[in-house]
Amino acid sequence: NILNSSNRLIQSTAIFLKKKHGNFNAINHSQQLKFNLDVAQQFLEVTPWKDDFGLDWLVIVVVPESDFMAQIDANNQTTLLLCLAALVIAILIGLLTARWIAQPILRLNVAAKGLARGEWNQALALNRTDEVGELATSFNQMAQQLSESFETLEQRVAERTTELAQAKDAAEVANQAKSTFLANMSHEIRTPIAAMLGFAGLLASPDLTNDDRADLARRVQTNGE
């Protein structure tokens, strides 16, 4: 009796079919079923087979899931390893790409800070044709223009400083000339005025003759002129 088979797989299959259908005669069409044997899943196909000579059989094929899932599991592991490898490669490429992009920008930042401190001789040597390379070219042009403008400004400031120094010297010379002129004028004015005051005092003397008075008057007029 198949239910008493010494082959555990055959016995378990028979028990499963017996429990599911009640008896084997109830199986009248081909079926595909599944059952567990020691936690391992089994795929079962049962097909009735009869002929004209009175044979009435059930053709049963049982395939353990592990027989065909082993390759699938191996493929899944391979796929997982490939995915992990692809992820690692993608991360490395991302890091290298980020470094490739970020390094010139960091150098540009340092150069820009140098410009802010007045270090005009800033230049970026980047042999690139992408947007970062164009940005570096624009920065170099800007730095060159700033350097030229600063040199022109320094030259103008130097020229203006020289002009101011010359103007200061001229003003000092003019101020000295003014002081000398005022001193001379003061001397030239005080001398005739002092004489006029002296002659005017003599005119008040009662001992003077008319001729003396006339002479003093002429002297006062001459000093006044």
Side-chain angles (χ1 to χ4, degrees):
N1 191 332
I2 192 174
L3 295 175
N4 299 323
S5 173
S6 60
N7 187 300
R8 191 159 179 269
L9 177 59
I10 294 176
Q11 182 185 42
S12 299
T13 302
I15 294 173
F16 170 74
L17 290 175
K18 186 80 171 176
K19 183 183 299 183
K20 183 174 181 61
H21 295 284
N23 59 77
F24 298 128
N25 294 326
I27 302 175
N28 52 22
H29 63 278
S30 193
Q31 301 178 36
Q32 292 181 343
L33 305 170
K34 294 186 293 183
F35 69 98
N36 291 329
L37 177 61
D38 297 333
V39 190
Q41 192 170 44
Q42 311 291 323
F43 289 91
L44 164 67
E45 183 177 35
V46 55
T47 303
W49 188 82
K50 296 180 180 181
D51 64 3
D52 296 334
F53 301 100
L55 291 179
D56 185 5
W57 288 358
L58 291 179
V59 181
I60 299 173
V61 178
V62 179
V63 179
E65 182 185 33
S66 59
D67 284 3
F68 58 88
M69 286 300 293
Q71 185 62 38
I72 295 176
D73 292 338
N75 291 338
N76 288 339
Q77 293 178 358
T78 302
T79 302
L80 179 61
L81 293 176
L82 290 176
C83 289
L84 291 176
L87 178 61
V88 172
I89 293 173
I91 292 174
L92 291 177
I93 293 176
L95 292 175
L96 293 176
T97 303
R99 181 181 178 85
W100 183 68
I101 295 174
Q103 282 295 108
I105 296 177
L106 293 176
R107 292 169 58 187
L108 180 62
N109 183 36
V110 173
K113 290 181 178 179
L115 283 181
R117 292 192 299 268
E119 300 172 1
W120 304 112
N121 296 324
Q122 299 289 335
L124 294 176
L126 295 178
N127 297 322
R128 298 172 58 157
T129 58
D130 56 1
E131 290 78 2
V132 177
E134 293 178 358
L135 181 61
T137 301
S138 300
F139 178 84
N140 290 335
Q141 293 175 353
M142 180 190 68
Q144 181 65 27
Q145 292 175 358
L146 287 175
S147 178
E148 293 175 356
S149 299
F150 183 73
E151 291 176 359
T152 302
L153 181 61
E154 283 186 330
Q155 184 178 358
R156 291 181 179 177
V157 169
E159 293 175 354
R160 185 59 178 166
T161 302
T162 303
E163 292 175 358
L164 291 175
Q166 294 175 352
K168 180 183 178 182
D169 294 340
E172 291 178 352
V173 171
N175 188 50
Q176 183 63 34
K178 180 188 72 172
S179 299
T180 303
F181 171 75
L182 291 177
N184 292 334
M185 286 296 296
S186 176
H187 175 74
E188 294 298 332
I189 291 174
R190 283 197 306 269
T191 300
I193 287 179
M196 291 167 63
L197 292 174
F199 294 146
L202 292 175
L203 288 173
S205 176
D207 298 332
L208 293 178
T209 63
N210 290 331
D211 291 337
D212 291 334
R213 292 180 184 280
D215 182 59
L216 288 174
R218 285 193 302 272
R219 291 179 180 274
V220 171
Q221 184 179 2
T222 299
N223 280 280
E225 292 175 352

